[in-house]
Amino acid sequence: MSIYALVFDVSKVKLWGLDAAQRLRRQLDEIGKARTGGLESIVWVEAAGDLPATGQVLLLNGSFVFENRTIEAVLARPNCVLRYEDRAAAALIDADRAAAVIDHVQGRKPGLPAGLTPIRTAELASFDRRLRRATTPLLEPVSPEHKAKLENRLYGNAYRGITDLVTKFVWPRPAKQAVHVCANLGMTPNMVTTIGLILVIAASFLFYYGYYGWGLLAGWIMTYLDTVDGKLARVTIRSSRFGHLYDHLIDLIHPPFWYIIWGASLVGFNGVMGLSVEQMAWVIVVAYVSERIVELLFSLLGRCEIFTWRPIDAWFRLVIARRNPCLILLTAGLLAGRPDWGFIAVTFWIALTTVVLNLRLAYAVVVRLRHGPLSSWLSAADVASGPHARAYSIFGATTLPDD
């Protein structure tokens, strides 16, 4: 069964290079691709006269900007009208009521047709498991004077709330500028990812031959572009299954190779605590794989990830031995004139953080057995004002001042 979608009152203000019609078409395509396995497909309709006589109709007011979560929430509520202040922004209704609802949504009939339930974004779930954040689903009127504010909102909504300290605190503003450039040039996210892959390979060769400074430069630029490609995909609604796998596989595979290649390039390294370079490389591999296994097992315990379970896990995610924190250690070692120290620090930091993750998993299993499926602290109703309000202000979302 299909849901027929009609967009009206389309704003011509472009946000991240897309007007409302282009943005909503891409959003509906993306939502439709995700709604597989027996769920309804979404069919785009150009005019009210093209609507069917039966079935369900999704009406979207093109003078508003939505995020996918907002539209998906409406799709989950038949015979509802999403309101912004005193205006109707979207509705999911039976086709035989479409004409009356369109008159109401466009302001020709002030009263809400009988049998429809009004809802507001404040009533919708705020926790976004995919992006590890908790914000009210986006719904804002579009106007030229608010263009910068809305682009900031869309960019912030494309950002994970819980991530490493470099991605969280250093990259947001410079990455936003690069996203603007890429969007204006018509670059796709996969183009940016491919440039990153070239830099991954270049850094590997530079590390191997002992050109640590140039290798780190290539590595840091790659991590910067790794932030850019994902945000570009989300703000321009160009996410794809291939792009996600392409980016994710590169991110997953290359970090341990960087560390091992760095260690193998060290001349005259005598080992530490009785461990040779080869043994330390095995520590890195075993710990790195163990971390991924822990994350996978934790996801089976409830509807949250290990880093979104409790505030302490979000704080720990800032510094856990992932690529960016490890690059900080390698950079610090090189600046001290001791690249071997950087390798040692990375090896032991990976081992230590893996131990911590395994302890968190063991504790989580006990909690799961005693109290049932785990849930994230970000999904609590009072998360913005309750006992974890300070952590929420940092990890709930990523925001930037308006330009």
Side-chain angles (χ1 to χ4, degrees):
M1 183 176 179
S2 298
I3 294 177
Y4 294 84
L6 173 65
V7 179
F8 58 90
D9 292 347
V10 176
S11 170
K12 296 301 181 183
V13 176
K14 290 190 174 184
L15 302 175
W16 293 105
L18 301 175
D19 64 29
Q22 293 170 316
R23 177 170 294 279
L24 285 168
R25 181 182 286 275
R26 290 187 185 181
Q27 286 180 283
L28 291 174
D29 286 345
E30 192 169 85
I31 292 170
K33 291 175 182 176
R35 292 169 69 84
T36 56
L39 295 175
E40 302 90 340
S41 60
I42 299 174
V43 178
W44 181 274
V45 175
E46 297 293 343
D50 298 328
L51 290 173
T54 60
Q56 286 190 310
V57 173
L58 173 67
L59 301 176
L60 294 168
N61 189 333
S63 63
F64 287 87
V65 61
F66 304 78
E67 67 173 287
N68 284 13
R69 287 191 304 154
T70 317
I71 300 173
E72 289 165 352
V74 174
L75 288 170
R77 293 166 170 79
N79 294 313
C80 75
V81 175
L82 177 66
R83 302 188 69 84
Y84 179 90
E85 297 179 350
D86 60 346
R87 300 168 61 188
L92 180 66
I93 43 102
D94 296 328
D96 58 358
R97 309 175 69 181
V101 176
I102 289 173
D103 285 342
H104 167 69
V105 170
Q106 293 187 314
R108 291 190 289 270
K109 289 186 177 180
L112 185 67
L116 298 183
T117 303
I119 59 172
R120 298 184 183 275
T121 53
E123 303 169 25
L124 307 180
S126 61
F127 178 49
D128 184 346
R129 183 180 180 183
R130 183 174 65 94
L131 291 179
R132 302 177 191 159
R133 60 187 175 93
T135 57
T136 301
L138 177 64
L139 177 67
E140 291 284 347
V142 179
S143 62
E145 58 270 22
H146 291 147
K147 176 181 169 70
K149 173 186 174 183
L150 293 174
E151 288 191 334
N152 268 353
R153 286 288 305 275
L154 289 170
Y155 179 76
N157 285 355
Y159 229 97
R160 282 184 173 178
I162 298 173
T163 185
D164 68 86
L165 74 171
V166 176
T167 304
K168 181 72 176 177
F169 301 119
V170 179
W171 289 152
R173 184 173 289 280
K176 180 189 170 188
Q177 303 307 316
V179 171
H180 263 300
V181 172
C182 293
N184 291 336
L185 292 175
M187 293 182 66
T188 67
N190 288 343
M191 291 178 184
V192 179
T193 304
T194 299
I195 296 172
L197 175 59
I198 293 170
L199 289 169
V200 165
I201 297 170
S204 299
F205 276 99
L206 290 165
F207 290 154
Y208 182 78
Y209 288 105
Y211 297 105
Y212 302 116
W214 289 109
L216 285 171
L217 177 62
W220 280 117
I221 295 174
M222 183 273 163
T223 71
Y224 169 65
L225 294 180
D226 190 39
T227 294
V228 172
D229 59 7
K231 310 309 168 288
L232 178 65
R234 295 183 191 118
V235 300
T236 60
I237 324 296
R238 278 183 158 175
S239 298
S240 67
R241 185 178 299 275
F242 171 78
H244 174 74
L245 290 174
Y246 184 33
D247 180 61
H248 188 66
L249 284 174
I250 294 172
D251 292 346
L252 184 66
I253 293 172
H254 79 268
F257 285 99
W258 275 1
Y259 316 145
I260 293 168
I261 290 169
W262 183 294
S265 72
L266 296 171
V267 177
F269 184 74
N270 295 318
V272 61
M273 295 180 63
L275 296 175
S276 65
V277 169
E278 291 78 10
Q279 290 170 323
M280 294 174 73
W282 277 110
V283 170
I284 290 171
V285 170
V286 171
Y288 192 82
V289 172
S290 176
E291 283 188 5
R292 297 310 183 277
I293 294 174
V294 166
E295 289 185 50
L296 177 62
L297 293 176
F298 193 98
S299 68
L300 304 177
L301 301 178
R303 291 192 55 78
C304 64
E305 300 175 10
I306 191 167
F307 302 115
T308 61
W309 182 32
R310 295 288 183 265
I312 190 173
D313 302 308
W315 289 106
F316 186 52
R317 179 62 180 86
L318 290 174
V319 297
I320 191 175
R322 293 296 174 83
R323 180 191 58 209
N324 289 353
C326 286
L327 280 181
I328 291 175
L329 295 176
L330 293 176
T331 303
L334 182 63
L335 291 176
R338 293 296 303 268
D340 55 326
W341 289 357
F343 176 66
I344 294 168
V346 165
T347 302
F348 283 94
W349 188 237
I350 289 177
L352 177 60
T353 58
T354 300
V355 170
V356 173
L357 282 182
N358 277 276
L359 291 174
R360 292 297 291 168
L361 175 63
Y363 176 57
V365 169
V366 173
V367 174
R368 171 68 174 83
L369 293 174
R370 290 181 176 177
H371 304 290
L374 307 182
S375 60
S376 172
W377 65 283
L378 287 169
S379 63
D382 65 343
V383 65
S385 57
H388 304 307
R390 179 169 177 267
Y392 173 78
S393 68
I394 295 173
F395 298 110
T398 298
T399 58
L400 291 175
D402 295 341
D403 293 337

